[in-house]
Amino acid sequence: MTTTASPRTPTVPAEGPAGAAGPEARRAAARRRSGSAWTPWLYLLPALAVLGALLVYPIYQLGLISFLEYTQAQVSGGRPTSFKGLGNYSALFSDPQFWQVLLATVLFAAACVLVTLAVGCALAVLLTRVRALPRLALMLAALGAWATPAVTGSTVWVFLFDPDHGPVNRVLGLGDFSWTYGRYSAFALVLTEVVWCSFPFVMVTVYAGIKAVPAEVLEAAALDGASQWRIWRSVTAPLLRPILVVVTIQSIIWDFKVFTQIYVMTGGGGIAGQNLVLNVYAYQKAFASSQYSLGSAIGVVMLLILLAVTLVYLRLLRRQGEEL
């Protein structure tokens, strides 16, 4: 007589290779995941090494010199280098000219960024509206302006607006008006040159982003009766926000540390330093006055300002739920 097991009798899993392989398989999967997590860093290691050599060490030296007494006497070996602590920063922050130059730099950079973004975005939209030949001509002209060295472009613009031989004053009938004599006219002239050599980056980048926007979305907005400005403001710009973040941050960094255009077009900062910006101000302190530690302190302040602006901008975008 055979006895059958009750349906309620619990079944005990058999011990064997399959049961023992569970923990080992999990450990192997964990090792694979750990290895795959380090794989991107291995690919980035050569680039990180180059960046470390080109950026980290110079920034370290910049910060170190800003805490020392380092003038021409120390460079020539006439006097030993001494630790000054926060003395250079104290002298810098107590100088009224520093705050005037800082305010002028912030306002000038903000104006350059806004105008550059406006011109670049407008021309990017124009590129999507014109035919192939005008588009090619505009792209080549913009890339030519972008590829022109800053010294060359600044020299050409100074000649164009020269009060004696420049064609601009003749066309506008301004006579011998000097654009670089007045503070605001000189800043306006430099701003125009900065925008001229900066807008192609914005134009090309935004144009590429617009071409990536699905055509069905734009057609649907047009069928709903939206104007071109409304389509840009409500449809295209939100889709392009990650790209606009990149070009905005790049423009802020470039325009905040403008040096060549100011130095060449205003003769080193304008009459009595009326057109000084932080980069030119640091150059004058470091090399014209041989106060290398004070010039380094200005460089550190500029670095911290740009880093703070970038981090705050990215934080605000993350709060809005944007993926960068």
Side-chain angles (χ1 to χ4, degrees), residues 135-244:
R135 184 188 309 121
L136 178 62
L138 180 56
M139 292 282 284
L140 291 177
L143 293 177
W146 193 13
T148 302
V151 175
T152 305
S154 301
T155 304
V156 171
W157 277 77
V158 169
F159 168 74
L160 291 176
F161 288 85
D162 185 79
D164 298 322
H165 308 288
V168 174
N169 281 13
R170 295 181 183 180
V171 172
L172 298 180
L174 297 177
D176 58 351
F177 174 76
S178 177
W179 291 84
T180 57
Y181 182 79
R183 183 187 187 191
Y184 298 107
S185 61
F187 269 129
L189 180 60
V190 177
L191 182 146
T192 306
E193 200 279 337
V194 170
V195 172
W196 173 77
C197 65
S198 300
F199 84 86
F201 170 73
V202 178
M203 183 190 74
V204 173
T205 307
V206 175
Y207 172 71
I210 293 176
K211 297 300 290 184
V213 174
E216 296 80 4
V217 177
L218 302 179
E219 292 176 359
L223 291 176
D224 289 339
S227 62
Q228 293 297 326
W229 167 247
R230 183 62 183 272
I231 293 175
W232 166 261
R233 184 172 62 88
S234 302
V235 179
T236 309
L239 294 175
L240 295 178
R241 187 164 296 177
I243 295 177
L244 294 176

Side-chain angles (χ1 to χ4, degrees), residues 40-312:
W41 292 103
L42 293 177
Y43 286 109
L44 291 174
L45 187 60
L48 293 176
V50 173
L51 289 177
L54 297 179
L55 293 178
V56 176
Y57 182 73
I59 291 175
Y60 163 74
Q61 286 291 336
L62 182 72
L64 178 62
I65 294 175
S66 69
F67 291 106
L68 303 176
E69 184 180 358
Y70 199 71
T71 61
Q72 188 61 40
Q74 283 76 25
V75 173
S76 60
R79 295 176 58 184
T81 302
S82 59
F83 183 73
K84 203 172 180 180
L86 297 176
N88 292 316
Y89 294 96
S90 177
L92 183 65
F93 295 148
S94 61
D95 185 4
Q97 187 182 19
F98 166 75
W99 296 106
Q100 296 174 4
V101 174
L102 176 60
L103 178 61
T105 304
V106 171
L107 295 178
F108 175 74
C112 288
V113 170
L114 292 176
V115 178
T116 301
L117 291 177
V119 173
C121 292
L123 291 179
V125 175
L126 179 63
L127 286 176
T128 63
R129 298 288 187 268
V130 297
R131 296 181 179 274
L133 188 58
R135 184 188 309 121
L136 178 62
L138 180 56
M139 292 282 284
L140 291 177
L143 293 177
W146 193 13
T148 302
V151 175
T152 305
S154 301
T155 304
V156 171
W157 277 77
V158 169
F159 168 74
L160 291 176
F161 288 85
D162 185 79
D164 298 322
H165 308 288
V168 174
N169 281 13
R170 295 181 183 180
V171 172
L172 298 180
L174 297 177
D176 58 351
F177 174 76
S178 177
W179 291 84
T180 57
Y181 182 79
R183 183 187 187 191
Y184 298 107
S185 61
F187 269 129
L189 180 60
V190 177
L191 182 146
T192 306
E193 200 279 337
V194 170
V195 172
W196 173 77
C197 65
S198 300
F199 84 86
F201 170 73
V202 178
M203 183 190 74
V204 173
T205 307
V206 175
Y207 172 71
I210 293 176
K211 297 300 290 184
V213 174
E216 296 80 4
V217 177
L218 302 179
E219 292 176 359
L223 291 176
D224 289 339
S227 62
Q228 293 297 326
W229 167 247
R230 183 62 183 272
I231 293 175
W232 166 261
R233 184 172 62 88
S234 302
V235 179
T236 309
L239 294 175
L240 295 178
R241 187 164 296 177
I243 295 177
L244 294 176
V245 169
V246 173
V247 297
T248 300
I249 293 176
Q250 290 279 10
S251 298
I252 291 173
I253 294 174
W254 289 341
D255 296 339
F256 191 82
K257 59 184 185 69
V258 164
F259 173 83
T260 304
Q261 290 87 346
I262 290 286
Y263 192 83
V264 173
M265 300 179 71
T266 65
I271 301 173
Q274 64 181 2
N275 296 112
L276 282 176
V277 292
L278 279 179
N279 241 352
V280 180
Y281 183 59
Y283 174 84
Q284 289 188 353
K285 290 295 183 181
F287 298 101
S289 304
S290 298
Q291 301 179 41
Y292 302 105
S293 54
L294 195 58
S296 299
I298 299 173
V300 172
V301 171
M302 291 181 60
L303 176 64
L304 294 177
I305 291 175
L306 290 175
L307 184 61
V309 170
T310 303
L311 291 178
V312 169

